[in-house]
Amino acid sequence: MYQYEPPLEDYKFILHKLLKVQDLDLKGYSDLAPEYTNQILEEAGKIAKDELAPLNRYGDIEGCKLENGIVRTPKGFKAAFNKVNKGGWTGINCETKYGGQGLPHVIGLTIGEMFCSANMALNMYHGLTHGAYSAIYYHGSESQKEMYLPNLVTCKWTGTMNLTEPQCGTDLGLIRTKAEKKTDGSYKITGQKIFISAGDHDLSENIIHLVLAKIPGSPAGVKGISMFIVPKFLVNKDGSLGNRNDVSVGKIEEKMGIHGNATCVMNYDGATGFLISEENKGLKAMFTMMNEARLGVGLQGIGQAEVAFQQAARYAKERVQGKDITKKGDEKQAHAIINHPDVRRNLMDQKVFIEGARALALWCATMLDAGERNLDKDSEGLASLLIPVVKGFITDKGFESTINSQQVLGGHGYIEEWGMSQFVRDSRIAMIYEGTNGIQALDLVGRKLSADGGKHTIHFIKTIKNFIKEAETCNSLKDDITTPLSEALDDAEKCLQFFMVEGIKNPNQALAGATDFMHLIGYLSLGFMWARMAKTAHEELEKNKEFNPLYETKLASAKYFFKRHLPETELRRKRVLSGSKEMMNIPEIHF
Amino acid sequence: MYQYEPPLEDYKFILHKLLKVQDLDLKGYSDLAPEYTNQILEEAGKIAKDELAPLNRYGDIEGCKLENGIVRTPKGFKAAFNKVNKGGWTGINCETKYGGQGLPHVIGLTIGEMFCSANMALNMYHGLTHGAYSAIYYHGSESQKEMYLPNLVTCKWTGTMNLTEPQCGTDLGLIRTKAEKKTDGSYKITGQKIFISAGDHDLSENIIHLVLAKIPGSPAGVKGISMFIVPKFLVNKDGSLGNRNDVSVGKIEEKMGIHGNATCVMNYDGATGFLISEENKGLKAMFTMMNEARLGVGLQGIGQAEVAFQQAARYAKERVQGKDITKKGDEKQAHAIINHPDVRRNLMDQKVFIEGARALALWCATMLDAGERNLDKDSEGLASLLIPVVKGFITDKGFESTINSQQVLGGHGYIEEWGMSQFVRDSRIAMIYEGTNGIQALDLVGRKLSADGGKHTIHFIKTIKNFIKEAETCNSLKDDITTPLSEALDDAEKCLQFFMVEGIKNPNQALAGATDFMHLIGYLSLGFMWARMAKTAHEELEKNKEFNPLYETKLASAKYFFKRHLPETELRRKRVLSGSKEMMNIPEIHF
């Protein structure tokens, strides 16, 4: 059984020293002082550590079972699920009007990281419910909000998102599920959906399916998609549960990981659905809730990397094997493997990724908050530019980080009993769902870069340039931090120029570099966050002359990141600039 | 069920156009003409495709079971195992004197790649037997060879390698298994071994365990290790099977993958063992057979990447999703995803890795052959320099390649039914066993670079330099191929210089860069192979003026590799030169 320790020190540093969330002045959130947020995070950490983490491996082994049309979750899941709900953790960043706690996303996502570290499969039931809450909150009618939101906030009812069909994943224009309007204004939903996470289970009284479907006669392609609420049990006017709707589970998929979460084939056989927003506006409704969802998936990448890193670090301190070559003395003596440089290198790679990515994701969360509560369009725009990077880059690297953790344990890493395999298998899905990482890259290059006339891209570059200008006055950061950050920014700008010049002539020239560009911006963004963390640590050390190992370590970690990871922007720039010629010219038969 | 097609065209190109194995003039192997080797490879390919591949997924699902002390392999494994044996495939590169076919390693390993693509778990039973054959062949007494080799060649008996113990993996100096000499000259073996692949099973009549143990009173550490033959059933003088030896299976480990291969805890309770070579020379015996074994693991990385790539390419040609942005016409039409640049990019990354790595591994195999048969010390030395790279770099990248293949299938890649998860889970072990990839990197930097006064390192550099000199006279290869290859070589030389200057002062300065240096040499070596392939393709095209898509594609692939992958040497060089300061100074408590 693995152990999980909430990384509270790092949260404190990021939230209060780096992002200074207490000064954000978000409307409706008056109190984000350290004492208050620390207390919340500590309590959430206890739930994660004591209630969720102990069930994680069990959920992997037992998985979900379909018995007589009903999905059974692993033993213990229901009790833990209820404990989270009763603690009010499910509505932490939901509106108070519907029973939420009214806290900002930055706090909700921090808690989400812990819950995901502890038990990703179980936390997904909560996460998807939050997604359904958001869809109805932003696009539902007043009466829909009143009918569904309070129970979604408490997770008395849970939610799902039904997009994928056998012939249609990324390309939602190919959806075949049909929605026919009935005389009472509701719709008759017919079709099959696949890969539906938390599609059915025994954790909640009702399940609110959000389903994308096409109304006969609507425009072809994505412009003819509508979104519907299809409850498992229809809800009576007084809020009580009515008849079972005509939706059923076809089967549970056998997956590589997240076994504790039921991934279902869902059959809609003339089920009753209720339109959200307007006809044919389904895709738009999807898109506006996507930022928060994708940010959440990015956090999953961090959460899994964090818990895997903790096991690897503990193992490295305990496992005695081989001599520390710098230590004098008995030739035959062996030392803990954390003393061996290649193991250190591996642990450092994990550490600087996790802390940098966490800072980036939580910074984006504060910008979403500012956008939502303060109607700060610039912040919202910058967040929406960076969110495909947070989702795509961080889940790519987060998965890689779990692989690196697994490697520290050698042969034991490959044995299921040690739990490392599960982190690898669970985290793998984050690169695929909520839009594959290739799609994130296309979203970034094909859509976000030029959105609103490229305004947010310019804002991003300016933000980094302003920081460099301010920070480079500090001589002790210049060589190690600000100068290389400048060079990395230059790599990004060269790619942007290439996209502008070449992409217009032939879009494939740009799109062939999409994934590499996403990674370039990922490294640049992590570099920016590490530069800010280095500056913060440096200032704290200046203020407080006595030796403080936390800040010393942050500074050393920043330098490590800049020496060993940031130079990847140069490689990625070269790849982007190499264009698409060879790859597109090779005959299909040679693949 | 996945489909596997033996990549016979590529084998032909590599063996006969690139490596020209028919001209190698290996003693004892007179006939390596294309017609002959093609026929062998075609036949082996049929076995792989028709007998082994159809069982692969079944082996994953059913796994191995311990029933009343006996391990049962998955249904169908025994019949397929016997078919391979009866075809004579098990002794392909064993000596004819013991019933082998007497072919060189380069052919044996090519066949090994196919068998591994088709069914890695099943092929491991054969592979480990070949390892046992080699250990006894190189280090056993004449009577041991006569007693064991003929049945190991046919796999009537199988073999295992017993190194790891609970407290001792990499550091074999910590071995506790005890070997006490008995009056009849045999030894009493007592101890527990873990992670023993193919430790027990129902495929063969007898299992020949090779066990590392310590004789009481022998020197401490690795200098006091001896190697023993411990047969499951003792063998009578007439070759018939005698009593059951005191070795038993403690349990089968639950692993992330290779479920069809039984990974056992083996208990030796005073079992009878027979010394191989001399007392305390066990590690030396291990080392001499390691080159071939590690090369074989490298081939596993390629084999798994190849089969995963085939599924991804097929899916990409069939799956219709999203519009090809360069095609005019109906806005709503969707196209096969192989037309989308990001999917192409992914497939190309896999393709250039697989073909380059295959060329490298098979080149190393020809050098091992030259060393063994022609006593060509230079070739042997160069092979032993490159083999940690083949094992470490190729299995790292091979695993990554299976991940990329899985990504092409989107959500379907995560569902076990499609088989992509199994390739990922199976190939993961190759980074761990036969010495973790971190250990390969240390072997390269700490041992191989300076072996024999650095002679082989100089030979490697000279070989590339000579090639460049010869090839750069060809103008059409200069800009795209020879110039960047030169630069990559320069990156390697800068690291070597750093190791010489800094490593002497503080070995951690060098060792902190071990993994990055291994990858640098990996990219450089693949670059060298791609340059040679480009030159070969170019020459063939010159000779034969009509359009030949195979050579055109090889040339385009080489250019792709040089533009997109070779520049990684620069990144790795920067990492190596950054040394060890920050990572070693951070207090242990901050991990």
Side-chain angles (χ1 to χ4, degrees):
Chain A
M1 196 65 72
Y2 75 84
Q3 293 165 46
Y4 169 66
E5 285 298 332
L8 297 171
E9 281 304 311
D10 203 41
Y11 294 145
K12 276 188 216 174
F13 175 79
I14 291 175
L15 294 178
H16 299 295
K17 295 290 178 187
L18 184 75
L19 302 176
K20 298 190 169 58
V21 294
Q22 67 273 35
D23 304 336
L24 283 182
D25 197 21
L26 295 172
K27 289 205 181 77
Y29 309 127
S30 55
D31 190 5
L32 286 180
E35 305 71 44
Y36 178 59
T37 63
N38 291 349
Q39 203 185 347
I40 294 174
L41 296 178
E42 246 170 62
E43 287 305 314
K46 274 183 205 158
I47 300 263
K49 180 180 174 174
D50 300 334
E51 307 293 337
L52 303 180
L55 292 172
N56 192 46
R57 174 142 163 72
Y58 191 76
D60 185 55
I61 294 170
E62 203 190 323
C64 295
K65 290 186 184 72
L66 182 60
E67 290 171 358
N68 304 321
I70 293 163
V71 173
R72 303 271 171 226
T73 54
K75 209 162 66 186
F77 267 42
K78 190 162 186 168
F81 183 78
N82 286 337
K83 220 161 227 174
V84 172
N85 303 351
K86 284 202 180 115
W89 299 106
T90 58
I92 203 94
N93 49 340
C94 296
E95 207 179 302
T96 48
K97 182 177 167 188
Y98 300 111
Q101 307 283 321
L103 281 157
H105 293 312
V106 66
I107 302 298
L109 284 162
T110 305
I111 294 168
E113 190 212 302
M114 289 190 270
F115 287 179
C116 166
S117 281
N119 197 323
M120 179 165 160
L122 177 51
N123 186 236
M124 283 173 66
Y125 294 101
H126 288 117
L128 286 155
T129 306
H130 194 77
Y133 164 88
S134 296
I136 298 173
Y137 179 76
Y138 291 112
H139 301 284
S141 66
E142 277 312 312
S143 67
Q144 286 172 338
K145 292 188 198 184
E146 272 164 39
M147 182 173 275
Y148 298 106
L149 293 189
N151 285 332
L152 288 172
V153 166
T154 59
C155 282
K156 188 176 170 188
W157 299 350
T158 55
T160 72
M161 194 57 62
N162 289 239
L163 285 71
T164 307
E165 299 179 7
Q167 79 294 345
C168 135
T170 294
D171 187 354
L172 293 171
L174 303 175
I175 276 181
R176 286 189 199 142
T177 295
K178 210 166 50 178
E180 295 159 296
K181 194 162 185 172
K182 297 196 283 190
T183 49
D184 66 354
S186 70
Y187 292 75
K188 189 177 144 193
I189 312 287
T190 313
Q192 188 180 64
K193 295 287 181 177
I194 62 171
F195 302 161
I196 307 308
S197 297
D200 194 53
H201 53 81
D202 52 6
L203 300 177
S204 62
E205 291 178 12
N206 200 5
I207 301 177
I208 309 304
H209 302 291
L210 297 187
V211 181
L212 293 190
K214 291 198 137 187
I215 298 165
S218 60
V222 292
K223 288 170 186 162
I225 297 172
S226 305
M227 189 192 275
F228 300 89
I229 298 174
V230 186
K232 178 177 175 181
F233 292 98
L234 293 165
V235 182
N236 297 322
K237 280 207 175 128
D238 65 356
S240 65
L241 296 186
N243 289 338
R244 183 78 159 77
N245 208 342
D246 292 318
V247 48
S248 59
V249 182
K251 68 165 177 171
I252 302 183
E253 302 284 3
E254 298 284 339
K255 307 185 300 292
M256 184 177 180
I258 49 165
H259 294 158
N261 197 282
T263 305
C264 301
V265 172
M266 301 300 294
N267 295 320
Y268 293 86
D269 301 309
T272 300
F274 306 97
L275 182 69
I276 295 192
S277 169
E278 294 168 46
E279 289 192 354
N280 304 330
K281 300 281 186 201
L283 204 70
K284 207 183 148 213
M286 281 296 312
F287 267 108
T288 48
M289 53 172 288
M290 227 170 238
N291 274 339
E292 195 192 335
R294 291 184 168 174
L295 193 48
V297 175
L299 258 306
Q300 290 183 332
I302 301 167
Q304 289 291 298
E306 167 71 35
V307 66
F309 169 67
Q310 290 187 14
Q311 315 315 305
R314 189 176 313 112
Y315 185 88
K317 291 176 203 170
E318 287 168 5
R319 176 76 169 178
V320 169
Q321 201 82 181
K323 197 178 146 52
D324 175 349
I325 203 164
T326 62
K327 287 214 172 84
K328 304 279 177 246
D330 181 3
E331 275 303 308
K332 273 97 210 171
Q333 207 189 325
H335 297 94
I337 61 172
I338 198 170
N339 295 296
H340 302 322
D342 190 61
V343 174
R344 277 270 173 156
R345 189 259 327 143
N346 183 339
L347 292 173
M348 279 301 288
D349 286 348
Q350 297 172 50
K351 183 179 167 66
V352 299
F353 160 69
I354 292 165
E355 295 175 13
R358 181 180 285 140
L360 175 63
L362 295 182
W363 178 47
C364 283
T366 61
M367 293 193 287
L368 275 194
D369 283 319
E372 193 174 313
R373 293 289 146 176
N374 297 357
L375 304 178
D376 174 349
K377 287 283 165 201
D378 286 347
S379 290
E380 191 184 82
L382 184 47
S384 85
L385 173 73
L386 288 176
I387 275 169
V389 179
V390 170
K391 196 283 182 183
F393 171 75
I394 291 182
T395 62
D396 274 358
K397 300 298 292 180
F399 172 71
E400 190 185 300
S401 195
T402 63
I403 298 285
N404 290 338
S405 307
Q406 186 185 32
Q407 192 71 11
V408 173
L409 276 77
H412 297 96
Y414 200 65
I415 307 294
E416 290 291 348
E417 201 183 330
W418 287 76
M420 305 308 286
S421 163
Q422 188 185 349
F423 302 135
V424 171
R425 291 184 291 99
D426 285 0
S427 65
R428 180 67 181 88
I429 190 59
M431 296 160 68
I432 297 173
Y433 62 20
E434 203 58 43
T436 64
N437 287 357
I439 291 301
Q440 305 300 322
L442 295 187
D443 180 43
L444 175 66
V445 171
R447 198 178 293 138
K448 297 291 173 65
L449 283 183
S450 56
D452 298 322
K455 193 173 133 186
H456 312 302
T457 309
I458 295 165
H459 181 191
F460 176 61
I461 292 171
K462 228 181 210 165
T463 304
I464 300 180
K465 279 195 175 152
N466 288 344
F467 170 85
I468 292 172
K469 217 182 217 170
E470 193 193 320
E472 69 188 353
T473 57
C474 171
N475 272 329
S476 66
L477 295 178
K478 202 170 159 61
D479 290 352
D480 292 334
I481 308 283
T482 49
T483 304
L485 184 61
S486 240
E487 288 164 5
L489 186 59
D490 200 49
D491 288 324
E493 290 188 287
K494 282 190 180 120
C495 293
L496 290 171
Q497 206 176 355
F498 177 81
F499 290 156
M500 278 192 289
V501 175
E502 295 288 324
I504 288 168
K505 290 187 258 175
N506 175 3
N508 282 353
Q509 280 282 84
L511 297 178
T515 288
D516 285 301
F517 184 73
M518 178 178 78
H519 277 255
L520 193 163
I521 298 295
Y523 282 104
L524 173 62
S525 303
L526 254 54
F528 178 48
M529 298 317 292
W530 269 117
R532 288 172 62 180
M533 291 196 278
K535 186 164 171 282
T536 301
H538 178 74
E539 286 164 0
E540 291 292 330
L541 287 167
E542 290 284 300
K543 263 196 274 182
N544 225 316
K545 284 288 181 191
E546 77 241 49
F547 177 72
N548 186 323
L550 176 71
Y551 296 124
E552 297 279 356
T553 292
K554 279 281 176 201
L555 254 182
S557 301
K559 287 179 187 170
Y560 181 90
F561 182 87
F562 272 78
K563 283 183 185 171
R564 289 208 162 227
H565 292 282
L566 195 67
E568 184 138 354
T569 57
E570 194 180 347
L571 170 65
R572 300 289 178 166
R573 185 247 300 157
K574 286 185 181 173
R575 288 189 187 165
V576 169
L577 301 194
S578 77
S580 63
K581 190 178 144 199
E582 283 82 14
M583 70 170 90
M584 298 313 288
N585 283 352
I586 288 179
E588 205 175 292
I589 196 176
H590 284 145
F591 286 97
Chain B
M1 195 68 72
Y2 74 85
Q3 294 165 44
Y4 169 66
E5 284 299 329
L8 297 171
E9 280 304 310
D10 204 42
Y11 293 145
K12 276 188 215 175
F13 175 80
I14 291 174
L15 294 178
H16 298 295
K17 294 290 178 187
L18 184 76
L19 302 176
K20 298 190 169 60
V21 294
Q22 66 271 38
D23 304 336
L24 283 181
D25 197 22
L26 295 171
K27 287 202 182 80
Y29 309 127
S30 56
D31 191 4
L32 287 179
E35 306 71 45
Y36 178 59
T37 62
N38 291 350
Q39 204 186 345
I40 295 174
L41 296 179
E42 248 169 61
E43 286 305 313
K46 275 184 205 156
I47 300 264
K49 180 180 173 174
D50 300 334
E51 308 292 338
L52 304 180
L55 293 172
N56 192 47
R57 174 140 163 73
Y58 191 76
D60 185 55
I61 295 170
E62 202 190 325
C64 295
K65 292 188 183 70
L66 182 60
E67 290 171 359
N68 304 320
I70 294 164
V71 173
R72 303 272 171 224
T73 54
K75 210 163 64 185
F77 267 41
K78 190 160 186 171
F81 184 77
N82 286 337
K83 220 160 227 175
V84 173
N85 303 352
K86 283 201 181 117
W89 299 107
T90 57
I92 203 92
N93 50 338
C94 296
E95 208 179 301
T96 49
K97 183 177 167 187
Y98 300 110
Q101 307 283 322
L103 281 157
H105 293 311
V106 67
I107 302 297
L109 285 162
T110 306
I111 294 169
E113 190 212 303
M114 288 190 270
F115 288 179
C116 165
S117 282
N119 197 322
M120 180 165 160
L122 177 52
N123 187 236
M124 284 174 65
Y125 295 101
H126 288 118
L128 286 155
T129 306
H130 193 78
Y133 164 88
S134 296
I136 297 173
Y137 179 77
Y138 291 112
H139 300 285
S141 65
E142 278 310 312
S143 66
Q144 285 172 338
K145 292 188 197 184
E146 273 163 38
M147 182 171 277
Y148 298 105
L149 294 190
N151 286 331
L152 289 173
V153 166
T154 59
C155 282
K156 188 176 169 186
W157 299 350
T158 55
T160 72
M161 195 56 63
N162 288 239
L163 284 72
T164 307
E165 300 179 6
Q167 80 293 345
C168 135
T170 294
D171 186 353
L172 293 171
L174 302 175
I175 276 180
R176 286 188 198 141
T177 295
K178 209 167 51 180
E180 296 159 295
K181 193 160 186 173
K182 296 197 285 191
T183 49
D184 66 356
S186 71
Y187 292 76
K188 191 177 143 193
I189 312 289
T190 314
Q192 189 180 64
K193 295 286 181 179
I194 62 170
F195 302 161
I196 307 308
S197 297
D200 195 52
H201 53 82
D202 51 8
L203 300 178
S204 63
E205 292 177 11
N206 200 5
I207 301 177
I208 311 304
H209 301 292
L210 297 187
V211 181
L212 293 189
K214 291 198 137 187
I215 298 164
S218 60
V222 291
K223 287 170 187 161
I225 297 172
S226 306
M227 187 192 277
F228 300 89
I229 297 174
V230 186
K232 178 175 175 182
F233 291 98
L234 293 165
V235 182
N236 297 322
K237 281 209 174 126
D238 65 357
S240 65
L241 295 187
N243 289 339
R244 183 79 159 77
N245 207 344
D246 292 318
V247 49
S248 59
V249 182
K251 69 164 176 169
I252 302 182
E253 302 284 2
E254 298 284 339
K255 307 185 300 292
M256 183 176 180
I258 50 167
H259 294 156
N261 197 282
T263 304
C264 301
V265 173
M266 301 301 295
N267 294 320
Y268 294 86
D269 301 309
T272 300
F274 307 98
L275 183 69
I276 295 192
S277 170
E278 294 168 46
E279 288 192 354
N280 303 330
K281 302 281 187 203
L283 204 70
K284 208 182 147 215
M286 282 294 312
F287 266 108
T288 48
M289 52 172 290
M290 227 169 238
N291 274 339
E292 196 193 333
R294 290 184 170 176
L295 194 48
V297 175
L299 258 308
Q300 290 183 331
I302 300 168
Q304 289 292 298
E306 167 70 36
V307 66
F309 169 66
Q310 290 187 15
Q311 315 315 306
R314 190 176 312 113
Y315 184 89
K317 291 176 204 171
E318 287 168 5
R319 175 77 169 177
V320 169
Q321 201 81 181
K323 198 179 144 51
D324 175 348
I325 202 163
T326 63
K327 290 213 171 84
K328 304 280 176 244
D330 181 5
E331 274 302 308
K332 274 96 208 173
Q333 206 189 325
H335 298 94
I337 61 172
I338 197 169
N339 295 296
H340 302 322
D342 191 61
V343 174
R344 276 271 173 154
R345 189 258 329 143
N346 183 339
L347 292 173
M348 279 301 289
D349 287 348
Q350 297 172 50
K351 183 178 168 65
V352 298
F353 160 70
I354 291 165
E355 296 176 12
R358 181 180 286 140
L360 175 64
L362 295 182
W363 178 47
C364 284
T366 62
M367 292 194 287
L368 275 193
D369 282 320
E372 193 174 310
R373 294 288 146 175
N374 297 355
L375 305 177
D376 174 347
K377 288 282 164 204
D378 285 346
S379 290
E380 190 184 83
L382 183 48
S384 84
L385 172 72
L386 288 177
I387 274 168
V389 180
V390 170
K391 196 281 183 184
F393 172 73
I394 291 184
T395 62
D396 274 358
K397 299 299 290 180
F399 172 71
E400 190 185 299
S401 196
T402 64
I403 299 286
N404 291 338
S405 306
Q406 187 186 31
Q407 192 71 10
V408 173
L409 276 77
H412 297 98
Y414 200 66
I415 307 294
E416 290 291 348
E417 201 182 330
W418 287 76
M420 305 309 286
S421 164
Q422 188 185 350
F423 303 135
V424 171
R425 290 184 290 98
D426 285 0
S427 65
R428 180 68 181 89
I429 189 60
M431 295 160 69
I432 297 173
Y433 64 18
E434 202 59 42
T436 64
N437 287 357
I439 290 302
Q440 305 300 322
L442 296 187
D443 180 42
L444 175 67
V445 171
R447 198 178 292 138
K448 297 291 174 66
L449 282 182
S450 57
D452 299 323
K455 194 172 131 187
H456 312 301
T457 309
I458 294 166
H459 181 190
F460 176 61
I461 292 171
K462 229 182 208 163
T463 304
I464 300 179
K465 279 196 175 154
N466 288 343
F467 170 85
I468 293 172
K469 218 182 216 169
E470 196 194 317
E472 71 189 351
T473 57
C474 170
N475 272 329
S476 65
L477 296 177
K478 202 169 160 63
D479 288 352
D480 292 334
I481 308 284
T482 49
T483 304
L485 185 61
S486 243
E487 288 164 5
L489 185 60
D490 199 49
D491 287 324
E493 290 188 286
K494 280 188 181 123
C495 292
L496 289 171
Q497 208 175 355
F498 177 82
F499 290 156
M500 278 193 289
V501 175
E502 294 288 325
I504 288 166
K505 290 186 255 173
N506 175 3
N508 282 354
Q509 280 281 85
L511 297 178
T515 288
D516 285 300
F517 184 73
M518 177 177 79
H519 276 255
L520 191 162
I521 298 296
Y523 282 104
L524 173 61
S525 303
L526 254 54
F528 178 47
M529 299 317 291
W530 269 117
R532 288 172 62 180
M533 292 196 277
K535 186 164 170 281
T536 301
H538 177 73
E539 286 164 359
E540 292 291 331
L541 287 168
E542 290 284 301
K543 262 195 274 181
N544 226 315
K545 284 289 178 188
E546 75 242 49
F547 177 73
N548 187 324
L550 176 71
Y551 297 124
E552 297 280 354
T553 292
K554 278 282 175 200
L555 254 182
S557 302
K559 287 179 189 170
Y560 181 91
F561 182 87
F562 271 79
K563 283 181 186 171
R564 290 209 162 225
H565 292 283
L566 195 67
E568 184 138 353
T569 57
E570 195 180 347
L571 170 65
R572 299 289 178 167
R573 184 246 299 155
K574 286 185 181 172
R575 287 189 188 164
V576 169
L577 302 193
S578 78
S580 62
K581 190 178 146 200
E582 283 83 15
M583 70 171 91
M584 299 313 288
N585 283 352
I586 288 179
E588 204 174 293
I589 197 178
H590 284 145
F591 287 97

